[in-house]
Amino acid sequence: VEGRVVAGWSRAFDDSAEAGDDFVQEIVDALKQRDALRHARDFENADAIRDELTADGIKINDRLKTFWLMRGVPESIAQDRSGGRSEEGAARGGARRGRASVPWVGLDTDATLAEHGIDGAMVMAALADRDAARANKDFHVADRIQNHLRSDLHLYMDDKERTWSTTPQVRRRDFGNSHSHRGGG
């Protein structure tokens, strides 16, 4: 199942996390069910499935119909993304180094963001500005942006995994009794 397209969904071929074929198939089945719910416009239950997968440490890219289990973002996904920054943010940020070269990933659905009154593009631009401030060693500005995102917008950010969400993310080392997962990022 790993690296192959299954029912429209595929696991990122460079996902370094270990998981058994049965567990991967469970994920694919859940994503197929979520797709059917979305098609039926039952967004509440579709979002519940996504939230459950996210809570288990499974990341989803709906546009690419790809999922992954490893910490961080697989290179195949990162290369396909625009870097998670607006053109203005890229111009202000210049060259990025280290962890900042890995794009930020928002883990919430558009419906969840709308429910919380959060503009995802604004958050991505703010995170790009924060990355630029950190790269320029302007930690006062970087901290001010981080405090705004956390305190004013009530967002949770994981700098190591480069993810953000309206809910805290639980890092799990084990996905159940028969499934092994080790972070690879």
Side-chain angles (χ1 to χ4, degrees):
V1 174
E2 184 173 344
R4 285 190 296 127
V5 174
V6 181
W9 282 91
S10 66
R11 181 175 178 194
F13 72 87
D14 53 345
D15 183 355
S16 62
E18 294 179 15
D21 285 345
D22 290 342
F23 183 57
V24 170
Q25 188 59 51
E26 288 175 25
I27 296 168
V28 169
D29 291 346
L31 290 169
K32 286 171 41 180
Q33 181 182 6
R34 179 174 173 262
D35 282 348
L37 290 167
R38 291 174 71 192
H39 184 73
R41 306 193 61 74
D42 183 353
F43 299 113
E44 183 176 336
N45 287 317
D47 288 348
I49 291 173
R50 181 185 181 128
D51 293 344
E52 183 178 327
L53 290 169
T54 300
D56 284 340
I58 299 157
K59 289 98 176 169
I60 302 166
N61 184 313
D62 282 315
R63 188 176 58 80
L64 297 176
K65 300 287 256 181
T66 304
F67 66 93
W68 65 96
L69 305 163
M70 65 185 266
R71 294 178 65 187
V73 181
E75 189 64 27
S76 62
I77 303 296
Q79 287 178 351
D80 186 73
R81 300 176 66 86
S82 65
R85 303 190 302 169
S86 65
E87 289 182 22
E88 306 87 67
R92 286 189 301 270
R96 297 190 306 179
R97 295 171 286 166
R99 292 295 305 159
S101 66
V102 176
W104 283 93
V105 176
L107 301 177
D108 292 310
T109 63
D110 289 339
T112 300
L113 293 177
E115 178 183 319
H116 291 277
I118 304 293
D119 178 355
M122 184 278 308
V123 172
M124 295 300 277
L127 289 169
D129 289 345
R130 180 173 173 254
D131 285 343
R134 292 175 75 186
N136 293 325
K137 299 192 183 310
D138 190 348
F139 299 112
H140 175 72
V141 169
D143 289 346
R144 189 170 37 123
I145 293 169
Q146 180 181 31
N147 289 338
H148 167 69
L149 293 172
R150 284 185 176 164
S151 300
D152 299 337
L153 300 180
H154 307 288
L155 295 178
Y156 297 87
M157 294 164 292
D158 186 328
D159 281 313
K160 189 170 186 174
E161 292 199 27
R162 307 281 295 168
T163 59
W164 63 272
S165 178
T166 58
T167 57
Q169 301 304 306
V170 177
R171 290 186 186 164
R172 294 189 181 190
R173 298 188 66 94
D174 183 68
F175 287 105
N177 298 332
S178 62
H179 307 296
S180 173
H181 169 75
R182 288 186 295 191

